[in-house]
Amino acid sequence: MVSLSYLLRFLEEDAPFGDVTSEAVVPEGINARAVIIAKQEGVIAGVEEAKALFEHFGVEVETRKHDGERVRKGDTILELEGNARSILLVERTALNVMGRMSGIATEVRRLVDRVKAVNPKVRVAGTRKTLLKPLDKRAILIGGGEPHRFSLSDAMLIKDNHLALVPLEEAIRRAKAFSLYKVVEVEVETLEDALKAARAGADVVMLDNMSPAEIAETIATLKREGLRDRVKIEVSGGITPENIEEYARLDIDIISLGYLTHSVKNFDVSLEIIGKT
């Protein structure tokens, strides 16, 4: 679960001086029962985060659907009971967290299922194209994907701007010398650079913005040179839900898509007060 302290930042931003509407309208001391329901089909995520937020404010929570479960429209995800003002205070923050995380998890699961049907060994990964990394990375995991790097500190990814400053082979040599514990990945856009990266000892070669035909040719050349088994092959750039299966059919290891987090479509969840207690 994402840390409570991280989650509370969103609530503090939403109610820096309290929920003035609820404090004005709802008498102090009223208790209520409420439910959070799914308004569409998909994979639910953010349940543990929502539960932690409500419990932090003394609301009792019964979990009816757990992170990673498929839900249908109308399914109850959480049942809540406690101080009405507290329920209303947390409502939007909890729904925002669940909506975003479920949207990501649902799309990841959809793509993972399609990719696995074509090539069971290929994994689907997100990227760092997000400012909400703790939530988004966990949502990707819940959906069955790979989170990729969490931060710049996790692994080495040598990109075009690094190679504008340092030659490819030297960059890999320096990265390898820097640490024995960090994976070294190199982003390339040509067959020639893919061969250089594999020969220089890269652990992962990312074929960026290459067509399926170009990737197939690159992999065939790596095999002929006895280099394919030395590296993991990641493909990225220009991959969409419409063409992902074409890439998945290739002899690759990972497909990474930034759109999983930078273009997420929120999952529709709703909180409804169902009575006073």
Side-chain angles (χ1 to χ4, degrees):
M1 188 194 84
V2 173
S3 72
L4 179 61
S5 60
Y6 178 82
L7 297 170
L8 287 173
R9 295 181 202 170
F10 296 115
L11 197 142
E12 289 164 5
E13 181 182 83
D14 195 39
F17 305 107
D19 174 5
V20 295
T21 306
S22 297
E23 291 171 13
V25 172
V26 179
E28 189 175 358
I30 287 183
N31 282 355
R33 290 189 300 120
V35 291
I36 293 179
I37 61 172
K39 304 296 289 293
Q40 65 181 88
E41 294 185 2
V43 176
I44 202 68
V47 176
E48 288 299 316
E49 284 73 15
K51 182 174 183 288
L53 280 169
F54 281 111
E55 289 182 338
H56 178 75
F57 288 91
V59 177
E60 294 182 8
V61 182
E62 286 289 334
T63 303
R64 297 303 180 197
K65 295 292 181 179
H66 295 85
D67 286 322
E69 286 191 51
R70 291 191 180 274
V71 297
R72 295 174 297 179
K73 183 178 181 180
D75 281 351
T76 297
I77 302 163
L78 294 175
E79 294 182 358
L80 312 170
E81 185 171 347
N83 181 271
R85 287 186 179 181
S86 295
I87 291 173
L88 295 172
L89 172 69
V90 177
E91 174 184 2
R92 179 41 53 194
T93 299
L95 294 179
N96 283 349
V97 168
M98 291 180 67
R100 181 175 178 86
M101 291 181 69
S102 299
I104 293 170
T106 296
E107 184 63 5
V108 170
R109 183 74 58 82
R110 183 172 79 93
L111 295 186
V112 166
D113 288 347
R114 287 174 57 185
V115 165
K116 294 295 184 186
V118 172
N119 189 344
K121 80 164 192 171
V122 176
R123 301 188 179 193
V124 175
T127 71
R128 285 176 46 253
K129 293 179 180 178
T130 173
L131 287 175
L132 300 174
K133 282 180 284 190
L135 298 176
D136 291 357
K137 296 293 190 181
R138 186 165 130 74
I140 290 170
L141 286 168
I142 289 170
E146 291 280 336
H148 215 286
R149 293 187 299 170
F150 186 86
S151 72
L152 291 171
S153 304
D154 293 338
M156 299 187 194
L157 176 50
I158 300 168
K159 296 172 68 70
D160 55 351
N161 282 333
H162 300 108
L163 298 179
L165 301 168
V166 182
L168 189 150
E169 292 95 338
E170 182 184 347
I172 294 173
R173 178 184 60 77
R174 292 173 66 89
K176 288 282 190 178
F178 186 83
S179 173
L180 294 175
Y181 294 98
K182 301 293 185 183
V183 169
V184 176
E185 180 170 4
V186 184
E187 178 186 278
V188 301
E189 295 186 354
T190 66
L191 186 159
E192 179 184 3
D193 282 347
L195 290 172
K196 286 182 182 178
R199 288 177 181 138
D203 300 300
V204 183
V205 176
M206 178 193 289
L207 306 180
D208 190 43
N209 287 305
M210 295 173 70
S211 70
E214 291 170 328
I215 293 168
E217 180 186 3
T218 299
I219 292 170
T221 304
L222 287 170
K223 287 180 177 178
R224 284 197 303 271
E225 297 289 327
L227 298 169
R228 173 63 181 95
D229 291 340
R230 294 188 190 180
V231 296
K232 296 290 185 185
I233 299 294
E234 177 178 345
V235 300
S236 189
I239 302 170
T240 67
E242 290 71 36
N243 64 18
I244 194 170
E245 288 159 319
E246 191 176 356
Y247 287 88
R249 292 187 182 97
L250 302 169
D251 180 22
I252 61 175
D253 301 291
I254 308 162
I255 298 173
S256 59
L257 305 97
Y259 105 97
L260 289 173
T261 51
H262 70 56
S263 300
V264 59
K265 182 178 180 181
N266 251 38
F267 187 92
D268 195 1
V269 285
S270 177
L271 185 149
E272 297 178 5
I273 299 287
I274 56 175
K276 294 189 289 186
T277 58

